[in-house]
Amino acid sequence: LMPWLMKPYTGALDTEKELFNYRLSKCRMVVECAFGRLKGRWRSLLTRSDLSQTNIPIVIAACCVLHNLCESKGETFMVGWEVEANRLAADYTQPDTWAIRRSQRDALRIREALKASFQSEQGNL
């Protein structure tokens, strides 16, 4: 629900947009894997949450801390948890609200700025 959650470009793409999509894809794979593990360990993340929009990032951060604590204490993450979480998550559709659509407009401007940054010397990693 935040404007910094990026979507790839679609349609006819120039080289700048293709580069953006490639770099975004690399980042998204890491994030999706991490969220898959979180959803596997904390099943409450699979269902609709009645939390306010401002509290959702706090709950996710708390889940990350608790997950890392479990890992550091040797509580093994079972691969089956993630498989089951992904199966259950496929049945849940995301809401379409005014706040999400407004954030998407903001995200378009941020995506354009990131695309330009990727073409610069600093973005050429």
Side-chain angles (χ1 to χ4, degrees), residues 9 12-23 115:
Y9 287 100
L13 305 178
D14 59 23
T15 55
E16 291 177 354
K17 290 179 180 178
E18 286 178 356
L19 176 62
F20 175 87
N21 283 358
Y22 171 75
R23 292 192 176 169
K115 182 185 75 164

Side-chain angles (χ1 to χ4, degrees), residues 18-87:
E18 286 178 356
L19 176 62
F20 175 87
N21 283 358
Y22 171 75
R23 292 192 176 169
L24 178 65
S25 175
K26 286 176 63 175
C27 294
R28 284 182 65 160
M29 287 189 298
V30 173
V31 171
E32 287 171 7
C33 182
F35 269 99
R37 291 179 67 88
L38 284 179
K39 290 187 296 185
R41 192 178 290 271
W42 313 113
R43 298 282 177 107
S44 62
L45 296 176
L46 290 171
T47 60
R48 177 181 168 85
S49 174
D50 291 326
L51 297 171
S52 72
Q53 185 176 345
T54 54
N55 288 335
I56 291 173
I58 296 167
V59 170
I60 292 172
C63 288
C64 290
V65 170
L66 291 171
H67 173 79
N68 289 341
L69 182 63
C70 290
E71 293 282 317
S72 71
K73 297 293 183 184
E75 294 181 18
T76 309
F77 179 84
M78 307 299 283
V79 176
W81 294 348
E82 188 173 355
V83 172
E84 180 69 6
N86 289 336
R87 187 186 66 74

